[in-house]
Amino acid sequence: MIEKGGDYGQQLRRGLRTSAQPRAGREGVSRVIWKDKGCADRTAMTTPAGSGTGFGSVSWWGLSPAVDLQAESPPVDPDSQADTEHETPELNVLLLGSVDGRHLLRTLARAALWPRRRFHFYVLENNLEAVARHVLIFSLALEDPEKMGLQERSETFLEVWGNALLRPPVAAFVRAQAGRLAHLVPEPDRLAEQLPWLSLGALKFRERDALEAVFRFWAGGEKGPEAFPMSRLWDSRLRQYLGSRYDARRGVSDWDLHMKLHDRGARVIHTREFRRWRDTGVAFELRDSSAYHVPNRTLASGRLLSLRGERVAARGYWGDIATGPFVAFGIEADDETLLKTSNGQPVKTAGEITEHNVAELFREMAAWVRPRAAQGDSEQVQGGAEESPEPAAPAPEPFTVHFLSLGSAHTLHHKSCYKGQFQLLYVACGFLVDLRQEQLQAFSSRVGELAQAAGFAPQLGGKPSDIFARFYKAGDSAPSHEDPAVESGTPPPELLAPPIEATDPPPEDRTQPLEPGTPPSEPLKLTSDSQASLLEASVPPTGSQAPKSENQTVPPETKSPTPEI
């Protein structure tokens, strides 16, 4: 399954590139703010802008609606479980560039509507800051309800996830959680005890060290506003993106919203909220506007730049400044009343829809994850009482998130442990509103060619969509489109993706965590050949996970609009 609206676009386009190498971008550099104590000849600085394009060179939020991955995967065969009374079928999914965990959260929230499965999510990103945000977001989503209520969790999630500036209480939460995670990362035993759903075993030692450094920066290891002057960096980024149009930025903002986002289906994004985000970076204003003034350090990323002939480590904001974090949870809703219009205008804004959807998502997750874990504990205790007086081991978590090494995209298909491992492969690509339709069509054709060369065929039938392109392994029966689960909140994807040449960041845009004395790891890259080989890793399931149309169990049908983006 290949997505147009995700966040893997830069790496995928590098792999599919058939033309010349990308042109180097121009970098604006602000004042030097600190020196790397671990390497005397290197100086770290903040810079305001990345590649100069609106999407930027690093992704912080998903640019397509969250989907239930079970609706995209082969269903569980109930008959096959007769001989495996104590074994739960597993769903293994490989996600390339999913960035913010929205698909994982949506899958877990909807899991109660499907036959019981244990999930293994294998996540591959191109920078460790994205991995750190994954961990922080899941820690927040799984926070004990007695410590943090549903509303507080939802609001904290929205601010950390999509706001450039935070309220002081939210910033304090980030510092506390980051400090805790910084202590857990270098201690595998404590990490497994306190966060049993998290697996960092596939990361290299230097990547784990760099991940710890990211958490320590979030925790306030470098104090003072100049450590990450977000408001100044955001404004500089905006100035570079708009150029001579900066003084007319409100008009440009309205034009981009109405002529680009609205035309692609995101009509619920209101002019006021989009203009506020474009000006300040605050997408979700849940309190008084004056309350948002603490920089959101989770949106900082580092990379090496050239300055007067030397390579220096720089920290800045190089993320999206064109679309905003409204698409992932804000343009679809199971509750159709949220999408009503009056006089041709949406009644609810994208922010209000997002707030509702995230609260429901956390409510559904809490209702499924914790009771399942408690049920497993109870079953094991009962079994242990009959067979042995020894205490039973704790039940495994109903899901595990495995983070893979940053540079492993082109080597996964060579590792025997991953061959035949995945029932679903998800590849994200950047949703860029500045692209022309003919560019999108050209990239769509190229994706189809690569899939065919790798032995995959497009899945035909169902509703046309501009969001996902779905392929299945040639020679196997195509998944049925009669499944109502596919229509409930996850429209059948047939989609396109952005063109190859449109927004490739220059080589300097490769994001790296700032880690003293450690050379940066290679960014995630796919060559044309390795992409085809990687697709081959997504082989059809066998045994208990093979599709069986007459025995499919699916969640009840719900109504949800199909987005046009």
Side-chain angles (χ1 to χ4, degrees), residues 378-455:
S378 175
E379 291 175 354
Q380 290 202 9
V381 169
Q382 291 177 1
E386 295 175 359
E387 300 171 6
S388 170
E390 298 181 1
E397 287 291 307
F399 73 96
T400 305
V401 182
H402 307 261
F403 288 101
L404 305 181
S405 179
L406 302 189
S408 62
H410 61 287
T411 61
L412 287 181
H413 62 288
H414 293 306
K415 297 182 178 180
S416 58
C417 60
Y418 295 126
K419 291 185 178 180
Q421 177 75 5
F422 308 109
Q423 288 82 45
L424 182 67
L425 169 62
Y426 166 94
V427 180
C429 305
F431 173 85
L432 302 173
V433 298
D434 292 331
L435 300 184
R436 298 186 299 274
Q437 187 61 36
E438 56 269 24
Q439 293 176 310
L440 297 176
Q441 185 59 47
F443 187 75
S444 174
S445 300
R446 181 59 174 152
V447 168
E449 292 172 3
L450 287 174
Q452 184 177 4

Side-chain angles (χ1 to χ4, degrees), residues 108 117-120 368-370 372-373 396-400:
L108 296 177
R117 270 182 170 179
R118 188 173 189 277
F119 302 103
H120 288 277
W368 179 78
V369 174
R370 296 185 183 281
R372 281 292 174 90
E397 287 291 307
F399 73 96
T400 305

Side-chain angles (χ1 to χ4, degrees), residues 553-564:
T553 303
V554 298
E557 182 174 358
T558 59
K559 297 180 180 179
S560 178
T562 301
E564 299 291 335

Side-chain angles (χ1 to χ4, degrees), residues 32-33 83 121-122 136 228 241 251-252 266 276-277 288 325 327 335 359 367 375 413 433 459 475 494 500:
V32 175
I33 61 168
D83 298 329
F121 302 112
Y122 294 82
L136 179 66
F228 187 57
Y241 172 59
V252 174
R276 181 188 63 231
W277 171 78
D288 182 79
V327 179
D335 183 357
Q375 180 182 357
H413 62 288
V433 298
Q459 182 170 318
E494 308 285 306
I500 305 166

Side-chain angles (χ1 to χ4, degrees), residues 297-362:
R297 291 194 177 198
T298 72
L299 297 181
S301 60
R303 70 168 184 241
L304 294 178
L305 299 176
S306 296
L307 180 65
R308 293 189 292 271
E310 296 183 0
R311 302 288 283 176
V312 296
R315 177 184 293 122
Y317 176 77
W318 292 296
D320 170 37
I321 201 126
T323 306
F326 303 106
V327 179
F329 297 105
I331 66 172
E332 288 185 348
D334 293 335
D335 183 357
E336 285 194 344
T337 61
L338 297 172
L339 303 172
K340 285 185 176 180
T341 60
S342 176
N343 297 324
Q345 298 298 320
V347 174
K348 298 291 186 180
T349 67
E352 292 171 332
I353 296 173
T354 298
E355 189 175 357
H356 169 85
N357 285 342
V358 168
E360 287 301 307
L361 183 145
F362 284 170

